[in-house]
């Protein structure tokens, strides 16, 4: 590695450490502080930046390298993180940015601040070494509010409405280098709300009453039945064949007091969709379960509210972004990544919908959405070089 690259990696590590030390927990922290960290670093290093926000506390930061208004490569990373859980259970404090050996620890280190750091490293490398070879520009979109459900309302959807997003292809800077997601399952997230009638549990009236007034036990019966719904594995694409559609009740609440029959209860059900199981088919099965339970519980009322609906997505195998990643990772790492469909969803579907084929690829690490999240620092240089090569493939002049 050249001295230039060594100095660049050192600066990127310090920058990533600063990001991890800046809490940006979804639902708790505004992204303004982390956005300032990113914008300041980019500006100090001579990169063009733009601050755009649909809501003041949840801004987007666009960073650009290149003179052209046309974008060749779009890089995307989200600035928010999930909560830490119990901080006392972490090996190091979750916002310490502690470096131990080859690992930088902290919430967001790998999801998704390490990827943002690598993207900026690649842009600095392009600025220093290859700017004159680029016919098109590279843009990094740092977006807010991804962890609330990947709806993109404040980020990608808003930026698209502002005509800020384009490109021959995009990389969402999620981990890892050995595996690249070129699609993902869909998400349907619903809330089921049951209503009944409240009684004092000690009264004779409740002793003699129809027990289907109990909104909590009625909801429980529905959830247990939903858990048993089975769908066959996907047959629409070889990329999805290891997955099925799965319904998982995840949150439940209900009741008002220890001696009161619950007159209201609600639960969230998380549903992961494959293409061969249309959303309508799932809704019909849910409705059938509810109707069956209500036939045995005539006093139970049930309502359904849709919270999130994201479609499954998959980009063509011959997409230019896939070809560029194949070539770049083979040159840098000696082998191509395993191209897969992701079980969890992400915001790639939004970019695919606006004709920007998107893959995930980023630095190595572990612990995302768990304890002791960390970034493998040694993977930063390879990630930067891969992004650099992909950018030149999508933005550069051939044989120049």
């Amino acid at each position: 590695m050249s001295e230039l690259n060594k100095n660049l990696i050192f600066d990127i590590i310090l920058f990533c450490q600063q990001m991890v030390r800046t809490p940006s927990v979804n639902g708790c922290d505004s992204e303004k502080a982390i956005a300032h960290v990113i914008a300041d670093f980019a500006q100090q290093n001579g990169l063009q930046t733009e601050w755009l926000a649909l809501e003041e506390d949840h801004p987007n930061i666009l960073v650009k390298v290149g003179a052209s208004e046309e974008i060749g490569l779009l890089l995307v990373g989200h600035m928010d993180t999930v909560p830490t859980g119990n901080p006392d259970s972490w090996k190091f404090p979750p916002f310490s940015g502690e470096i131990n050996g080859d690992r930088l620890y902290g919430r967001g280190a790998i999801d998704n601040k390490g990827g943002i750091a690598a993207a900026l490293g690649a842009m600095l490398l392009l600025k220093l070494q290859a700017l004159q070879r680029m016919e098109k520009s590279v843009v990094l979109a740092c977006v807010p509010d991804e962890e609330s459900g990947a709806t993109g309302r404040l980020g990608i959807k808003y930026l698209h409405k502002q005509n800020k997003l384009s490109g021959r292809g995009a990389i969402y800077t999620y981990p890892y280098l050995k595996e690249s997601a070129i699609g993902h399952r869909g998400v349907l997230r619903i809330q089921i709300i049951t209503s009944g009638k409240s009684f004092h549990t000690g009264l004779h009236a409740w002793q003699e009453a129809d027990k289907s007034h109990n909104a909590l036990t009625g909801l429980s019966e529905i959830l247990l039945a939903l858990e048993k719904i089975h769908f066959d594995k996907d047959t629409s694409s070889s990329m999805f064949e290891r997955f099925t559609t799965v319904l998982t009740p995840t949150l439940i609440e209900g009741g008002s007091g220890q001696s009161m029959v619950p007159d209201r209860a609600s639960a969230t059900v998380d549903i992961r969709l494959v293409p061969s199981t249309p959303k309508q088919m799932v809704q019909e099965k849910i409705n059938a379960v509810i109707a069956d339970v209500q036939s045995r519980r005539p006093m139970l009322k049930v309502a359904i509210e849709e919270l999130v609906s994201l479609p499954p997505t998959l980009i063509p195998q011959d997409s230019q972004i896939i070809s560029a990643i194949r070539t770049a990772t083979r040159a840098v790492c000696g082998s191509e990544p395993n191209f897969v469909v992701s079980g969890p969803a992400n915001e790639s579907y939004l970019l695919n919908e606006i004709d920007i084929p998107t893959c995930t690829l980023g630095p190595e690490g572990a612990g995302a959405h768990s304890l002791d999240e960390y970034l493998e620092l040694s993977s930063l240089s390879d990630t930067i070089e891969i992004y650099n090569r992909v950018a030149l493939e999508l933005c550069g002049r051939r044989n120049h």
Side-chain angles (χ1 to χ4, degrees), residues 44-158:
Q44 290 165 9
N45 285 278
L47 298 174
Q48 305 168 58
T49 64
E50 189 173 2
W51 182 294
L52 301 100
L54 177 61
E55 294 182 4
E56 182 181 354
D57 284 342
H58 306 286
N60 298 269
I61 297 297
L62 297 182
V63 184
K64 178 182 173 184
V65 60
S68 175
E69 291 301 312
E70 289 188 78
I71 301 173
L73 173 64
L74 179 66
L75 297 165
V76 185
H78 66 82
M79 298 181 289
D80 60 322
T81 73
V82 295
T84 64
N86 182 2
D88 294 333
S89 298
W90 284 63
K91 183 176 181 179
F92 301 103
F95 299 113
S96 65
E98 182 76 24
I99 294 177
N100 185 272
D102 187 44
R103 297 177 177 180
L104 191 162
Y105 285 89
R107 176 56 80 225
I110 194 67
D111 183 17
N112 191 215
K113 295 176 180 180
I116 290 174
L120 280 166
M123 296 175 83
L124 291 180
L125 195 60
L126 289 166
K127 176 177 174 288
L128 293 169
Q129 296 183 338
L131 196 58
Q132 72 282 0
R133 295 163 56 192
M134 294 169 54
E135 287 184 330
K136 299 181 186 294
S137 297
V138 177
V139 167
L140 166 65
C142 301
V143 299
D145 197 41
E146 190 275 345
E147 295 290 5
S148 67
T151 66
R153 183 180 72 87
L154 301 176
I156 289 175
K157 285 183 179 178
Y158 170 68

Side-chain angles (χ1 to χ4, degrees), residues 318-338:
D318 60 355
S319 298
Q320 189 175 5
I321 187 67
I322 294 179
S323 174
I325 287 174
R326 287 185 192 277
T327 303
T329 54
R330 195 184 306 121
V332 175
C333 302
S335 62
E336 300 174 5
N338 184 27

Side-chain angles (χ1 to χ4, degrees), residues 13-14 17 60 209 256 285 348 361 368:
I13 290 172
L14 293 181
Q17 191 175 43
N60 298 269
S256 303
K285 284 186 176 289
S348 296
L361 197 78

Side-chain angles (χ1 to χ4, degrees), residues 378-390:
S378 58
S379 68
L380 282 172
S381 58
D382 283 351
T383 309
I384 289 170
E385 181 59 29
I386 289 168
Y387 289 170
N388 183 73
R389 287 172 178 265
V390 172

Side-chain angles (χ1 to χ4, degrees), residues 9-21:
I9 296 297
F10 180 75
D11 290 344
I12 290 298
I13 290 172
L14 293 181
F15 165 62
C16 189
Q17 191 175 43
Q18 186 182 6
M19 283 197 290
V20 171
R21 288 173 173 172

